[in-house]
Amino acid sequence: MSSSQQGGLAQAFHGLATIVALIGMVFLTPRLWPLIEPQVWIWLIDLYSHEAAWWLLLGGEITTWLMTFLAIRLGLTLGFTVIALLIARRAL
């Protein structure tokens, strides 16, 4: 595989991985957040006032959306990198 083909493949993968991560985030986060929300609420209410804990819980939910996106994107990028390295190793 030439370097121009590899660069094109990596460019195409970057956009595809972002779209897949966005779609995965939309479908996974609403399933993940209700699993951890009660425990997070208990931790926050023990440490902060009700209003402060509520705002921190809202921030935690927003952060969960971002972390889900980043985890999916990182997994896809890692998988692509491993495949590219295995192809490069085989080509040698």
Side-chain angles (χ1 to χ4, degrees), residues 17-32:
T18 302
I19 291 170
V20 170
L22 283 171
I23 292 169
M25 175 190 70
V26 167
F27 287 107
L28 284 177
T29 304
R31 292 177 184 230
L32 293 174

Side-chain angles (χ1 to χ4, degrees), residues 8-20 73 77 80:
L9 185 60
Q11 292 280 339
F13 176 76
H14 177 71
L16 178 66
T18 302
I19 291 170
V20 170
R73 183 75 171 82
T77 302
F80 176 75

Side-chain angles (χ1 to χ4, degrees), residues 3-72:
S3 63
S4 64
Q5 289 173 336
Q6 187 178 8
L9 185 60
Q11 292 280 339
F13 176 76
H14 177 71
L16 178 66
T18 302
I19 291 170
V20 170
L22 283 171
I23 292 169
M25 175 190 70
V26 167
F27 287 107
L28 284 177
T29 304
R31 292 177 184 230
L32 293 174
W33 179 245
L35 297 174
I36 62 171
E37 181 182 12
Q39 186 62 42
V40 172
W41 177 251
I42 291 169
W43 290 337
L44 291 174
I45 205 70
D46 287 342
L47 296 172
Y48 303 103
S49 69
H50 188 347
E51 185 176 345
W54 186 84
W55 282 107
L56 289 169
L57 187 71
L58 181 63
E61 184 175 1
I62 293 168
T63 302
T64 303
W65 285 87
L66 177 63
M67 295 306 290
T68 304
F69 171 79
L70 291 176
I72 294 169

